Amino acid sequence: MKNIIIASTSTIHGGEPLDYLLDELQIFFKDTSEVLFIPYARPSGISHEEYTAKVNVAFQKIDKNVVGIHEFDNPKEAIRDAKGIFTGGGNTFVLVNQLYKNDLIDTIKTVVKNGTPYLGTSAGSNICGLTINTTNDMPIVYPPSFKTFGFVPFNINPHYLDPDPTSKHMGETRETRIKEFHKFNTQPVVGIREGSWLAVRGDKIVLKGALDARIFEYDKSPYEVKTETELSHLK
Amino acid sequence: MKNIIIASTSTIHGGEPLDYLLDELQIFFKDTSEVLFIPYARPSGISHEEYTAKVNVAFQKIDKNVVGIHEFDNPKEAIRDAKGIFTGGGNTFVLVNQLYKNDLIDTIKTVVKNGTPYLGTSAGSNICGLTINTTNDMPIVYPPSFKTFGFVPFNINPHYLDPDPTSKHMGETRETRIKEFHKFNTQPVVGIREGSWLAVRGDKIVLKGALDARIFEYDKSPYEVKTETELSHLK
C-alpha cells in the first residue's frame, strides 16, 4: 500500500530543515533506522555529498541515519533494498534528468506502489505528480521527459504563493501560470503552501499541516481547501 | 547586418503595451509600414488572433500595421517576405514548441542575420539567446529542444528581479537560480530589468533604457552595468 508524504518545502521561514515535520517523520519512518536519500536536485548546485550530510543532521534528531544513493554502485538495487526513501528539493529539472539518466523512474514507482515509505519535499514532491509541467524552477538542464511518478493523479505546485497585490513586477503570478498550464493540459494542480503537505495512504489523499491549499481544476475557478480535507476524488 | 531589439518586457508597470518603446520602434521599423507578429507565446493562453489584435493597437500609434504569422498558409514564406518581425511575450515553452513545430528556427535565424529587423519582448527576447535555460516561465509544454536563435552569444533573463530582503518565501531568488544554471552551463546570462533592452547592430550589443543590467558570468561574482554600456565582448 502506498505511503507517501508530499511536502511543499523542507524548511519553513526561520526554521531548520525538516523541523516542522520531524514528529510526523518519526511515525512515518518508524520501521527503519536508515533512510535512502536522493540528493539529485542539488539546491544551489551543492554536491551530492554535501547535500546528504546536511539532511543527515536533520534526521539524526529522530535517530535515523541517512545514506545517499550516490554512495551505491548500483542505485537500482539501493532503491529496491531501501526501507524508506527521501527525495529533497533543489532544481526539479536537474533531479528529473538524473533520475532518467540512472533509469530509476520505474524502479522507484514500483517500490513505492509496493509500500516503501516515500517522503518528497519541493522538487522531490513535484515528481510525485503526473508531470513536472507545474514546477517553479528554472529549466537549467533539458531532461529527456517531463513525465514523473504519478503517485497522485494530478500535478503538484509546491511553494504555492498567493499573488502580491502591491507588486509592480510584470512577470506572471503563480495563479496566471497555472491557468496557462490548463490551456494545454487537463489534469488538476494542487498548490501546496509552505508548511503543508499531502499524506497519501493507499488511495486516500489528505491535506495536512497548518495552511489551506489551492486547487486548480480544468475549466473551473480555483478554490481553497482546508487542512484535513480528503483529496482522493481529485483527478 | 543584424538589427535587433531584445527587451525585458513589453509593458512597464502602469503603462500601455510597448508605450515606453514606441519612439525607438518608429526608427527601428522605419523602412516598413507592416510588421510580422509571432503570437505563439500566447500570454494567459489567449488565441493568436486576440494577441495579434492587441499588438496592432500599440503599433497603430506609430502608423504600422501588424499581421499575425498564423494568418499565412506558409509561415516560412511569411518570415522570408517580412520587412520587420516582432515576437511577443507569454510562455517561452509554448513559443519555442510552436517555432519547432512549424520548423521556423533556422528560417528566422537566416533572415535576421541578413538584416530583417527583429524585436523581441520577454519570451520573444529569451529566444534571442543561446538557449531558454534561463527563462522564468513555467514549463507547461515540453518542447523538442531548449536551443534557440543565438543572436547574442549568451543567455537572456528578462524581467530580471532583485532579491526581496523582506520575503519569507523559501523559493529560490532569481540570482540563486542563475547561479545554479552556472553549475551546469558556462555561457554568460544578462539579467535585463523591466524597461531596459539590448540594441544589437551587427556585432555591437549595447544596453539601452533607464536601468542597469545584471551580468552573470561563469565562475565570477555577478556585477551591474550601466545603460549605454557595450556588451559586445561578452561570451
Side-chain angles (χ1 to χ4, degrees), chain A residues 185-199:
Chain A
N185 304 269
T186 55
Q187 68 261 43
V189 181
V190 177
I192 314 176
R193 296 187 175 90
E194 292 176 347
S196 288
W197 66 93
L198 300 181

Side-chain angles (χ1 to χ4, degrees), chain A residues 76-227:
Chain A
K76 277 190 194 177
E77 226 170 77
I79 298 283
R80 281 189 215 109
D81 292 344
K83 300 278 176 286
I85 298 172
F86 170 34
T87 306
N91 184 287
T92 307
F93 296 88
V94 174
L95 168 59
V96 169
N97 200 40
Q98 193 69 42
L99 287 172
Y100 274 103
K101 208 167 163 182
N102 291 357
D103 190 26
L104 294 177
I105 300 276
D106 284 342
T107 310
I108 297 174
K109 265 167 100 160
T110 303
V111 301
V112 173
K113 282 183 181 168
N114 289 336
T116 306
Y118 175 100
L119 164 68
T121 61
S122 191
S125 290
N126 256 314
I127 59 176
C128 294
L130 293 170
T131 72
I132 61 161
N133 290 84
T134 50
T135 176
N136 311 307
D137 293 341
M138 193 172 261
I140 58 179
V141 298
Y142 182 72
S145 168
F146 284 173
K147 288 195 185 130
T148 44
F149 300 139
F151 294 147
V152 288
F154 44 77
N155 267 36
I156 303 292
N157 182 252
H159 300 281
Y160 183 76
L161 194 63
D162 294 292
D164 171 4
T166 68
S167 174
K168 293 184 176 169
H169 189 253
M170 300 303 287
E172 300 84 0
T173 65
R174 191 68 60 80
E175 182 153 329
T176 300
R177 288 165 191 265
I178 298 172
K179 281 184 188 166
E180 285 183 10
F181 169 80
H182 275 147
K183 296 282 177 173
F184 301 92
N185 304 269
T186 55
Q187 68 261 43
V189 181
V190 177
I192 314 176
R193 296 187 175 90
E194 292 176 347
S196 288
W197 66 93
L198 300 181
V200 183
R201 298 268 302 168
D203 291 330
K204 195 170 168 181
I205 307 166
V206 181
L207 176 66
K208 297 279 183 183
L211 302 167
D212 299 349
R214 194 157 182 86
I215 314 285
F216 300 82
E217 287 190 80
Y218 180 72
D219 220 10
K220 274 196 190 177
S221 292
Y223 58 93
E224 296 283 313
V225 292
K226 298 257 166 243
T227 189

Side-chain angles (χ1 to χ4, degrees), chain A residues 44 133 136 139 142-143 177 180, chain B residues 44 133 136 139 142-143 177 180:
Chain A
S44 301
N133 290 84
N136 311 307
Y142 182 72
R177 288 165 191 265
E180 285 183 10
Chain B
S44 302
N133 289 82
N136 312 306
Y142 182 71
R177 289 165 190 264
E180 285 183 11

Side-chain angles (χ1 to χ4, degrees), chain B residues 16-19 22 25 52-64 66 86:
Chain B
E16 291 293 318
L18 294 175
D19 260 7
L22 284 178
L25 296 183
T52 303
K54 277 184 185 212
V55 167
N56 213 356
V57 171
F59 272 89
Q60 291 295 332
K61 295 178 189 171
I62 52 168
D63 300 316
K64 308 282 177 201
V66 168
F86 170 36

